[in-house]
mmCIF file of all heavy atoms in Angstrom:
data_model
loop_
_atom_site.group_PDB
_atom_site.id
_atom_site.type_symbol
_atom_site.label_atom_id
_atom_site.label_comp_id
_atom_site.label_asym_id
_atom_site.label_seq_id
_atom_site.Cartn_x
_atom_site.Cartn_y
_atom_site.Cartn_z
ATOM 1 N N VAL O 113 -10.623 0.592 -12.819
ATOM 2 C CA VAL O 113 -9.459 0.655 -13.707
ATOM 3 C C VAL O 113 -9.787 1.474 -14.944
ATOM 4 O O VAL O 113 -10.834 1.300 -15.570
ATOM 5 C CB VAL O 113 -9.000 -0.769 -14.111
ATOM 6 C CG1 VAL O 113 -7.947 -0.708 -15.210
ATOM 7 C CG2 VAL O 113 -8.468 -1.524 -12.910
ATOM 8 N N ARG O 114 -8.886 2.375 -15.290
ATOM 9 C CA ARG O 114 -8.982 3.196 -16.498
ATOM 10 C C ARG O 114 -7.670 3.042 -17.250
ATOM 11 O O ARG O 114 -6.667 3.656 -16.897
ATOM 12 C CB ARG O 114 -9.230 4.676 -16.153
ATOM 13 C CG ARG O 114 -10.498 4.917 -15.358
ATOM 14 C CD ARG O 114 -11.740 4.577 -16.190
ATOM 15 N NE ARG O 114 -12.963 4.706 -15.426
ATOM 16 C CZ ARG O 114 -13.646 3.692 -14.915
ATOM 17 N NH1 ARG O 114 -13.209 2.462 -15.051
ATOM 18 N NH2 ARG O 114 -14.774 3.878 -14.257
ATOM 19 N N LEU O 115 -7.675 2.196 -18.286
ATOM 20 C CA LEU O 115 -6.451 1.882 -19.017
ATOM 21 C C LEU O 115 -6.130 2.929 -20.079
ATOM 22 O O LEU O 115 -7.025 3.576 -20.613
ATOM 23 C CB LEU O 115 -6.569 0.505 -19.673
ATOM 24 C CG LEU O 115 -6.684 -0.674 -18.704
ATOM 25 C CD1 LEU O 115 -7.018 -1.946 -19.462
ATOM 26 C CD2 LEU O 115 -5.401 -0.841 -17.913
ATOM 27 N N MET O 116 -4.847 3.016 -20.408
ATOM 28 C CA MET O 116 -4.371 3.930 -21.448
ATOM 29 C C MET O 116 -4.617 3.318 -22.833
ATOM 30 O O MET O 116 -4.822 2.117 -22.969
ATOM 31 C CB MET O 116 -2.875 4.195 -21.264
ATOM 32 C CG MET O 116 -2.507 4.800 -19.907
ATOM 33 S SD MET O 116 -3.181 6.434 -19.669
ATOM 34 C CE MET O 116 -2.197 7.351 -20.819
ATOM 35 N N ALA O 117 -4.524 4.154 -23.848
ATOM 36 C CA ALA O 117 -4.791 3.728 -25.222
ATOM 37 C C ALA O 117 -3.851 2.622 -25.698
ATOM 38 O O ALA O 117 -4.251 1.761 -26.474
ATOM 39 C CB ALA O 117 -4.691 4.926 -26.163
ATOM 40 N N ASP O 118 -2.603 2.632 -25.236
ATOM 41 C CA ASP O 118 -1.655 1.631 -25.733
ATOM 42 C C ASP O 118 -1.626 0.347 -24.907
ATOM 43 O O ASP O 118 -0.866 -0.565 -25.194
ATOM 44 C CB ASP O 118 -0.253 2.203 -25.890
ATOM 45 C CG ASP O 118 0.322 2.775 -24.608
ATOM 46 O OD1 ASP O 118 -0.375 2.802 -23.581
ATOM 47 O OD2 ASP O 118 1.484 3.207 -24.646
ATOM 48 N N SER O 119 -2.479 0.253 -23.914
ATOM 49 C CA SER O 119 -2.556 -0.978 -23.127
ATOM 50 C C SER O 119 -3.307 -2.039 -23.912
ATOM 51 O O SER O 119 -4.228 -1.742 -24.666
ATOM 52 C CB SER O 119 -3.299 -0.727 -21.808
ATOM 53 O OG SER O 119 -3.565 -1.955 -21.156
ATOM 54 N N GLY O 120 -2.913 -3.270 -23.731
ATOM 55 C CA GLY O 120 -3.633 -4.375 -24.354
ATOM 56 C C GLY O 120 -4.729 -4.908 -23.445
ATOM 57 O O GLY O 120 -5.408 -5.859 -23.772
ATOM 58 N N GLY O 121 -4.883 -4.298 -22.258
ATOM 59 C CA GLY O 121 -5.900 -4.731 -21.314
ATOM 60 C C GLY O 121 -5.305 -5.480 -20.141
ATOM 61 O O GLY O 121 -4.088 -5.637 -20.031
ATOM 62 N N LEU O 122 -6.170 -5.921 -19.253
ATOM 63 C CA LEU O 122 -5.739 -6.724 -18.111
ATOM 64 C C LEU O 122 -6.041 -8.184 -18.388
ATOM 65 O O LEU O 122 -7.088 -8.515 -18.937
ATOM 66 C CB LEU O 122 -6.461 -6.299 -16.829
ATOM 67 C CG LEU O 122 -6.052 -4.964 -16.223
ATOM 68 C CD1 LEU O 122 -6.822 -4.724 -14.924
ATOM 69 C CD2 LEU O 122 -4.560 -4.892 -15.969
ATOM 70 N N ARG O 123 -5.127 -9.023 -17.999
ATOM 71 C CA ARG O 123 -5.304 -10.480 -18.108
ATOM 72 C C ARG O 123 -5.353 -11.024 -16.689
ATOM 73 O O ARG O 123 -4.406 -10.850 -15.925
ATOM 74 C CB ARG O 123 -4.135 -11.086 -18.883
ATOM 75 C CG ARG O 123 -4.031 -12.601 -18.875
ATOM 76 C CD ARG O 123 -4.830 -13.196 -20.017
ATOM 77 N NE ARG O 123 -4.787 -14.642 -20.009
ATOM 78 C CZ ARG O 123 -4.218 -15.377 -20.960
ATOM 79 N NH1 ARG O 123 -3.616 -14.799 -21.975
ATOM 80 N NH2 ARG O 123 -4.256 -16.685 -20.889
ATOM 81 N N LEU O 124 -6.453 -11.629 -16.324
ATOM 82 C CA LEU O 124 -6.606 -12.210 -14.997
ATOM 83 C C LEU O 124 -6.152 -13.658 -15.079
ATOM 84 O O LEU O 124 -6.859 -14.517 -15.604
ATOM 85 C CB LEU O 124 -8.065 -12.099 -14.533
ATOM 86 C CG LEU O 124 -8.640 -10.673 -14.556
ATOM 87 C CD1 LEU O 124 -10.078 -10.667 -14.073
ATOM 88 C CD2 LEU O 124 -7.788 -9.723 -13.737
ATOM 89 N N ALA O 125 -4.940 -13.904 -14.595
ATOM 90 C CA ALA O 125 -4.312 -15.215 -14.754
ATOM 91 C C ALA O 125 -4.461 -16.058 -13.500
ATOM 92 O O ALA O 125 -4.039 -15.648 -12.420
ATOM 93 C CB ALA O 125 -2.839 -15.048 -15.107
ATOM 94 N N LYS O 126 -5.070 -17.244 -13.669
ATOM 95 C CA LYS O 126 -5.210 -18.189 -12.566
ATOM 96 C C LYS O 126 -3.885 -18.935 -12.385
ATOM 97 O O LYS O 126 -3.131 -19.113 -13.355
ATOM 98 C CB LYS O 126 -6.336 -19.182 -12.866
ATOM 99 C CG LYS O 126 -7.705 -18.537 -12.936
ATOM 100 C CD LYS O 126 -8.790 -19.580 -13.007
ATOM 101 C CE LYS O 126 -9.199 -19.819 -14.440
ATOM 102 N NZ LYS O 126 -10.293 -20.777 -14.562
ATOM 103 N N PRO O 127 -3.613 -19.378 -11.166
ATOM 104 C CA PRO O 127 -2.362 -20.106 -10.922
ATOM 105 C C PRO O 127 -2.142 -21.287 -11.862
ATOM 106 O O PRO O 127 -1.021 -21.520 -12.312
ATOM 107 C CB PRO O 127 -2.498 -20.570 -9.469
ATOM 108 C CG PRO O 127 -3.397 -19.561 -8.838
ATOM 109 C CD PRO O 127 -4.369 -19.174 -9.921
ATOM 110 N N VAL O 128 -3.195 -22.008 -12.230
ATOM 111 C CA VAL O 128 -3.054 -23.163 -13.113
ATOM 112 C C VAL O 128 -2.553 -22.741 -14.504
ATOM 113 O O VAL O 128 -1.849 -23.502 -15.168
ATOM 114 C CB VAL O 128 -4.377 -23.963 -13.189
ATOM 115 C CG1 VAL O 128 -5.466 -23.186 -13.906
ATOM 116 C CG2 VAL O 128 -4.159 -25.317 -13.802
ATOM 117 N N GLU O 129 -2.890 -21.519 -14.933
ATOM 118 C CA GLU O 129 -2.432 -21.040 -16.242
ATOM 119 C C GLU O 129 -0.927 -20.831 -16.273
ATOM 120 O O GLU O 129 -0.307 -20.944 -17.325
ATOM 121 C CB GLU O 129 -3.121 -19.732 -16.609
ATOM 122 C CG GLU O 129 -4.592 -19.854 -16.914
ATOM 123 C CD GLU O 129 -5.185 -18.510 -17.257
ATOM 124 O OE1 GLU O 129 -5.135 -18.131 -18.447
ATOM 125 O OE2 GLU O 129 -5.687 -17.847 -16.335
ATOM 126 N N LEU O 130 -0.356 -20.494 -15.128
ATOM 127 C CA LEU O 130 1.087 -20.254 -15.077
ATOM 128 C C LEU O 130 1.888 -21.500 -15.432
ATOM 129 O O LEU O 130 2.992 -21.405 -15.973
ATOM 130 C CB LEU O 130 1.504 -19.767 -13.689
ATOM 131 C CG LEU O 130 1.092 -18.351 -13.353
ATOM 132 C CD1 LEU O 130 1.411 -18.051 -11.909
ATOM 133 C CD2 LEU O 130 1.784 -17.371 -14.273
ATOM 134 N N LYS O 131 1.334 -22.654 -15.119
ATOM 135 C CA LYS O 131 2.034 -23.910 -15.410
ATOM 136 C C LYS O 131 2.225 -24.111 -16.906
ATOM 137 O O LYS O 131 3.144 -24.792 -17.336
ATOM 138 C CB LYS O 131 1.279 -25.092 -14.801
ATOM 139 C CG LYS O 131 1.279 -25.060 -13.287
ATOM 140 C CD LYS O 131 0.475 -26.182 -12.696
ATOM 141 C CE LYS O 131 0.479 -26.044 -11.181
ATOM 142 N NZ LYS O 131 -0.468 -26.889 -10.529
ATOM 143 N N LYS O 132 1.353 -23.508 -17.717
ATOM 144 C CA LYS O 132 1.416 -23.657 -19.171
ATOM 145 C C LYS O 132 1.942 -22.390 -19.859
ATOM 146 O O LYS O 132 1.919 -22.301 -21.076
ATOM 147 C CB LYS O 132 0.030 -23.988 -19.720
ATOM 148 C CG LYS O 132 -0.547 -25.292 -19.205
ATOM 149 C CD LYS O 132 -1.901 -25.560 -19.817
ATOM 150 C CE LYS O 132 -2.963 -24.833 -19.020
ATOM 151 N NZ LYS O 132 -4.330 -25.084 -19.444
ATOM 152 N N ALA O 133 2.388 -21.411 -19.073
ATOM 153 C CA ALA O 133 2.813 -20.128 -19.653
ATOM 154 C C ALA O 133 4.014 -20.303 -20.582
ATOM 155 O O ALA O 133 4.928 -21.084 -20.315
ATOM 156 C CB ALA O 133 3.150 -19.135 -18.548
ATOM 157 N N LEU O 134 3.994 -19.547 -21.661
ATOM 158 C CA LEU O 134 5.082 -19.541 -22.634
ATOM 159 C C LEU O 134 6.110 -18.486 -22.245
ATOM 160 O O LEU O 134 5.795 -17.524 -21.551
ATOM 161 C CB LEU O 134 4.529 -19.236 -24.032
ATOM 162 C CG LEU O 134 3.428 -20.164 -24.542
ATOM 163 C CD1 LEU O 134 2.855 -19.634 -25.848
ATOM 164 C CD2 LEU O 134 3.961 -21.572 -24.705
ATOM 165 N N ASP O 135 7.331 -18.642 -22.732
ATOM 166 C CA ASP O 135 8.415 -17.691 -22.480
ATOM 167 C C ASP O 135 8.299 -16.533 -23.475
ATOM 168 O O ASP O 135 8.567 -16.703 -24.671
ATOM 169 C CB ASP O 135 9.760 -18.394 -22.614
ATOM 170 C CG ASP O 135 10.949 -17.491 -22.346
ATOM 171 O OD1 ASP O 135 10.776 -16.257 -22.211
ATOM 172 O OD2 ASP O 135 12.074 -18.013 -22.279
ATOM 173 N N LEU O 136 7.907 -15.372 -22.988
ATOM 174 C CA LEU O 136 7.682 -14.210 -23.852
ATOM 175 C C LEU O 136 8.939 -13.750 -24.584
ATOM 176 O O LEU O 136 8.846 -13.165 -25.663
ATOM 177 C CB LEU O 136 7.092 -13.049 -23.020
ATOM 178 C CG LEU O 136 6.728 -11.775 -23.760
ATOM 179 C CD1 LEU O 136 5.780 -12.038 -24.921
ATOM 180 C CD2 LEU O 136 6.139 -10.759 -22.800
ATOM 181 N N SER O 137 10.113 -14.029 -24.037
ATOM 182 C CA SER O 137 11.349 -13.574 -24.699
ATOM 183 C C SER O 137 11.509 -14.190 -26.094
ATOM 184 O O SER O 137 12.292 -13.696 -26.901
ATOM 185 C CB SER O 137 12.571 -13.878 -23.833
ATOM 186 O OG SER O 137 12.724 -15.263 -23.648
ATOM 187 N N LYS O 138 10.752 -15.209 -26.409
ATOM 188 C CA LYS O 138 10.809 -15.854 -27.722
ATOM 189 C C LYS O 138 9.812 -15.251 -28.708
ATOM 190 O O LYS O 138 9.659 -15.749 -29.822
ATOM 191 C CB LYS O 138 10.558 -17.351 -27.569
ATOM 192 C CG LYS O 138 11.631 -18.032 -26.748
ATOM 193 C CD LYS O 138 11.342 -19.488 -26.547
ATOM 194 C CE LYS O 138 12.468 -20.082 -25.688
ATOM 195 N NZ LYS O 138 12.127 -21.409 -25.197
ATOM 196 N N PHE O 139 9.115 -14.169 -28.317
ATOM 197 C CA PHE O 139 8.056 -13.591 -29.140
ATOM 198 C C PHE O 139 8.233 -12.078 -29.336
ATOM 199 O O PHE O 139 7.291 -11.321 -29.154
ATOM 200 C CB PHE O 139 6.680 -13.845 -28.496
ATOM 201 C CG PHE O 139 6.287 -15.284 -28.430
ATOM 202 C CD1 PHE O 139 6.597 -16.042 -27.309
ATOM 203 C CD2 PHE O 139 5.618 -15.886 -29.479
ATOM 204 C CE1 PHE O 139 6.240 -17.372 -27.228
ATOM 205 C CE2 PHE O 139 5.245 -17.224 -29.414
ATOM 206 C CZ PHE O 139 5.560 -17.971 -28.291
ATOM 207 N N LYS O 140 9.426 -11.628 -29.717
ATOM 208 C CA LYS O 140 9.662 -10.183 -29.856
ATOM 209 C C LYS O 140 8.688 -9.534 -30.839
ATOM 210 O O LYS O 140 8.264 -8.395 -30.652
ATOM 211 C CB LYS O 140 11.097 -9.895 -30.277
ATOM 212 C CG LYS O 140 11.417 -8.413 -30.243
ATOM 213 C CD LYS O 140 12.870 -8.106 -30.415
ATOM 214 C CE LYS O 140 13.105 -6.616 -30.267
ATOM 215 N NZ LYS O 140 14.504 -6.266 -30.352
ATOM 216 N N SER O 141 8.303 -10.262 -31.881
ATOM 217 C CA SER O 141 7.366 -9.681 -32.857
ATOM 218 C C SER O 141 5.913 -9.838 -32.427
ATOM 219 O O SER O 141 5.010 -9.419 -33.133
ATOM 220 C CB SER O 141 7.577 -10.314 -34.232
ATOM 221 O OG SER O 141 7.287 -11.693 -34.179
ATOM 222 N N GLY O 142 5.686 -10.415 -31.256
ATOM 223 C CA GLY O 142 4.335 -10.490 -30.714
ATOM 224 C C GLY O 142 3.801 -11.906 -30.576
ATOM 225 O O GLY O 142 4.207 -12.814 -31.286
ATOM 226 N N VAL O 143 2.880 -12.062 -29.648
ATOM 227 C CA VAL O 143 2.214 -13.343 -29.414
ATOM 228 C C VAL O 143 0.981 -13.376 -30.307
ATOM 229 O O VAL O 143 0.095 -12.532 -30.167
ATOM 230 C CB VAL O 143 1.820 -13.485 -27.921
ATOM 231 C CG1 VAL O 143 1.094 -14.798 -27.682
ATOM 232 C CG2 VAL O 143 3.044 -13.364 -27.028
ATOM 233 N N LYS O 144 0.935 -14.312 -31.220
ATOM 234 C CA LYS O 144 -0.163 -14.356 -32.205
ATOM 235 C C LYS O 144 -1.409 -15.044 -31.659
ATOM 236 O O LYS O 144 -2.523 -14.723 -32.048
ATOM 237 C CB LYS O 144 0.292 -15.066 -33.485
ATOM 238 C CG LYS O 144 1.540 -14.469 -34.112
ATOM 239 C CD LYS O 144 1.396 -13.012 -34.450
ATOM 240 C CE LYS O 144 2.656 -12.475 -35.090
ATOM 241 N NZ LYS O 144 2.962 -11.123 -34.773
ATOM 242 N N ASP O 145 -1.242 -16.004 -30.753
ATOM 243 C CA ASP O 145 -2.377 -16.730 -30.172
ATOM 244 C C ASP O 145 -2.878 -15.937 -28.974
ATOM 245 O O ASP O 145 -2.260 -15.926 -27.917
ATOM 246 C CB ASP O 145 -1.938 -18.131 -29.746
ATOM 247 C CG ASP O 145 -3.053 -18.946 -29.108
ATOM 248 O OD1 ASP O 145 -4.169 -18.411 -28.890
ATOM 249 O OD2 ASP O 145 -2.809 -20.131 -28.814
ATOM 250 N N ARG O 146 -4.003 -15.271 -29.114
ATOM 251 C CA ARG O 146 -4.490 -14.388 -28.053
ATOM 252 C C ARG O 146 -4.937 -15.135 -26.807
ATOM 253 O O ARG O 146 -5.147 -14.544 -25.769
ATOM 254 C CB ARG O 146 -5.591 -13.454 -28.555
ATOM 255 C CG ARG O 146 -6.832 -14.122 -29.009
ATOM 256 C CD ARG O 146 -7.844 -13.106 -29.570
ATOM 257 N NE ARG O 146 -9.136 -13.294 -28.949
ATOM 258 C CZ ARG O 146 -9.657 -12.498 -28.030
ATOM 259 N NH1 ARG O 146 -9.007 -11.454 -27.634
ATOM 260 N NH2 ARG O 146 -10.828 -12.752 -27.516
ATOM 261 N N PHE O 147 -5.062 -16.448 -26.891
ATOM 262 C CA PHE O 147 -5.448 -17.241 -25.728
ATOM 263 C C PHE O 147 -4.231 -17.762 -24.961
ATOM 264 O O PHE O 147 -4.368 -18.252 -23.846
ATOM 265 C CB PHE O 147 -6.363 -18.395 -26.141
ATOM 266 C CG PHE O 147 -7.657 -17.906 -26.726
ATOM 267 C CD1 PHE O 147 -7.877 -17.951 -28.084
ATOM 268 C CD2 PHE O 147 -8.642 -17.361 -25.904
ATOM 269 C CE1 PHE O 147 -9.064 -17.476 -28.623
ATOM 270 C CE2 PHE O 147 -9.828 -16.879 -26.441
ATOM 271 C CZ PHE O 147 -10.038 -16.948 -27.805
ATOM 272 N N ALA O 148 -3.048 -17.670 -25.575
ATOM 273 C CA ALA O 148 -1.830 -18.134 -24.917
ATOM 274 C C ALA O 148 -1.390 -17.114 -23.860
ATOM 275 O O ALA O 148 -1.507 -15.908 -24.062
ATOM 276 C CB ALA O 148 -0.721 -18.323 -25.945
ATOM 277 N N LEU O 149 -0.898 -17.611 -22.743
ATOM 278 C CA LEU O 149 -0.313 -16.746 -21.721
ATOM 279 C C LEU O 149 1.191 -16.805 -21.902
ATOM 280 O O LEU O 149 1.796 -17.873 -21.792
ATOM 281 C CB LEU O 149 -0.698 -17.213 -20.314
ATOM 282 C CG LEU O 149 -0.035 -16.456 -19.157
ATOM 283 C CD1 LEU O 149 -0.429 -14.976 -19.178
ATOM 284 C CD2 LEU O 149 -0.404 -17.092 -17.828
ATOM 285 N N ALA O 150 1.784 -15.667 -22.227
ATOM 286 C CA ALA O 150 3.234 -15.587 -22.409
ATOM 287 C C ALA O 150 3.775 -14.483 -21.509
ATOM 288 O O ALA O 150 3.282 -13.356 -21.535
ATOM 289 C CB ALA O 150 3.579 -15.300 -23.876
#
Side-chain angles (χ1 to χ4, degrees):
V113 170
R114 301 294 176 258
L115 295 171
M116 301 295 290
D118 58 356
S119 170
L122 288 182
R123 169 88 182 245
L124 305 180
K126 295 189 264 183
V128 68
E129 291 180 87
L130 288 173
K131 294 177 182 168
K132 298 181 276 184
L134 304 173
D135 181 351
L136 183 55
S137 63
K138 296 177 181 167
F139 295 92
K140 188 170 184 177
S141 63
V143 178
K144 305 302 181 214
D145 179 355
R146 63 183 231 106
F147 297 104
L149 175 62

